[in-house]
């Protein structure tokens, strides 16, 4: 069955430190990949997406993600975290091919930032 | 910018009441989705619709129904609310393009409490 795994439930980093959030997927073929962010009490906002091409994807708010086919991973990174980055982050994947509409979401990683 | 709106941010209902959650999108998207979000469980798909009057069950449709009479509006109905339906409900929409699952755009969510 298709699945998306975010191994870390909660991560705490100091402001200014670098960040990497892990995401692994299990799909028959390389899926489309997404990272979303959710601030407390809000909906999800798209950070970035990977459909094909360059495996390093740039997103909003200074985030980037790297697709590694050999590791079935799509990890999210930021070189220097700001206090406003404290939120919950969701990785998602969707099938390629006509007639595919759904995304499968990971369970999320909650990021806390220490001033 | 894509805008997805949900009729209420917070809602309190009593057990046994019929509850309507409304979602409207302004980008002429074909696909619309209803999720519920619970701590530790991530997002779970309740129903989705890929066209007017069309609907498909998601992972947890029991106790819910949906209605899509107009392209921009997708309603989630709890026929007889129960306390285990207390949750955050998120609506999303996405364009229907060839090639597979596409970016979903989310509303702000409705936090429903059933007493």
């Amino acid at each position: 069955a298709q699945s998306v795994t975010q191994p870390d439930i909660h991560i705490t980093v100091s402001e200014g430190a670098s960040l990497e959030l892990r995401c692994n997927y299990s799909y028959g073929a390389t899926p489309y990949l997404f990272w979303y962010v959710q601030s407390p009490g809000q909906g999800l906002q798209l950070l970035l997406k990977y459909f094909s091409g360059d495996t390093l994807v740039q997103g909003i708010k200074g985030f980037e993600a790297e697709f590694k086919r050999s590791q079935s991973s799509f990890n999210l990174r930021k070189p220097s975290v700001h206090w406003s980055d404290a939120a919950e982050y969701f990785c998602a994947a969707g099938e390629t091919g006509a007639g595919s509409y759904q995304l499968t979401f990971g369970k999320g990683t909650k990021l806390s930032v220490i001033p | 910018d894509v805008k997805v709106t949900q009729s209420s941010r917070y809602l309190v209902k009593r057990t046994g009441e019929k509850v309507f959650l409304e979602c409207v999108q302004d980008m002429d998207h074909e696909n619309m989705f209803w999720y519920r979000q619970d701590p530790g469980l991530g997002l779970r798909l309740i129903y989705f619709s890929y066209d007017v009057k069309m609907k498909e069950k998601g992972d947890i449709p029991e106790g819910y129904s949906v209605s899509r009479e107009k392209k921009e509006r997708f309603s989630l109905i709890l026929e007889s609310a129960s306390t285990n339906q207390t949750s955050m409900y998120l609506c999303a929409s996405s364009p229907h393009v060839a090639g597979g699952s596409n970016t979903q755009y989310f509303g702000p969510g409705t936090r429903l409490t059933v007493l």
Side-chain angles (χ1 to χ4, degrees):
Chain A
Q2 298 151 345
S3 65
V4 174
T5 302
Q6 294 180 246
D8 303 304
I9 296 172
H10 191 182
I11 284 182
T12 300
V13 300
S14 297
E15 193 168 16
S18 64
L19 171 71
E20 183 169 29
L21 301 182
R22 297 182 291 163
C23 173
N24 294 97
Y25 63 88
S26 176
Y27 269 71
T30 299
Y32 297 148
L33 294 160
F34 307 82
W35 274 101
Y36 286 86
V37 61
Q38 184 182 33
S39 298
Q42 303 297 318
L44 276 67
Q45 180 185 19
L46 179 71
L47 283 175
L48 47 79
K49 60 187 178 185
Y50 173 77
F51 280 14
S52 65
D54 193 345
T55 56
L56 188 62
V57 181
Q58 301 298 320
I60 62 171
K61 303 179 188 251
F63 285 92
E64 65 179 25
E66 186 171 13
F67 168 64
K68 292 186 176 180
R69 185 191 307 273
S70 61
Q71 298 176 20
S72 298
S73 70
F74 188 56
N75 293 349
L76 182 71
R77 302 194 295 243
K78 187 169 185 178
S80 177
V81 170
H82 188 261
W83 63 267
S84 60
D85 293 324
E88 191 156 20
Y89 293 79
F90 292 91
C91 181
E95 280 188 37
T96 57
S100 301
Y101 310 113
Q102 300 177 58
L103 298 182
T104 299
F105 286 83
K107 288 186 166 46
T109 297
K110 184 174 181 180
L111 174 66
S112 297
V113 180
I114 301 172
Chain B
D1 274 356
V2 176
K3 193 155 180 78
V4 180
T5 56
Q6 296 184 228
S7 50
S8 304
R9 293 299 304 275
Y10 300 94
L11 208 52
V12 179
K13 295 292 182 181
R14 299 221 172 262
T15 302
E17 280 192 78
K18 190 169 186 176
V19 181
F20 292 87
L21 303 182
E22 303 285 337
C23 175
V24 178
Q25 51 96 3
D26 68 355
M27 283 302 292
D28 203 36
H29 285 171
E30 289 79 9
N31 304 324
M32 296 189 75
F33 307 82
W34 275 107
Y35 296 90
R36 65 176 283 175
Q37 183 180 20
D38 301 287
L41 298 179
L43 276 74
R44 293 180 291 168
L45 182 65
I46 304 171
Y47 269 97
F48 71 98
S49 169
Y50 55 88
D51 202 349
V52 175
K53 297 192 185 295
M54 305 302 289
K55 61 184 179 184
E56 294 281 344
K57 292 180 179 179
D59 300 318
I60 52 164
E62 295 79 18
Y64 304 94
S65 61
V66 291
S67 172
R68 192 162 180 207
E69 296 296 319
K70 293 185 177 181
K71 190 174 186 180
E72 68 271 18
R73 188 179 298 269
F74 192 34
S75 302
L76 180 69
I77 303 155
L78 288 65
E79 294 288 343
S80 177
S82 64
T83 55
N84 63 12
Q85 292 178 309
T86 292
S87 187
M88 171 72 109
Y89 290 87
L90 293 168
C91 175
S93 72
S94 72
H96 184 184
V97 297
S101 316
N102 212 325
T103 305
Q104 292 185 15
Y105 298 89
F106 284 81
T110 296
R111 184 163 295 281
L112 172 67
T113 301
V114 182
L115 302 175

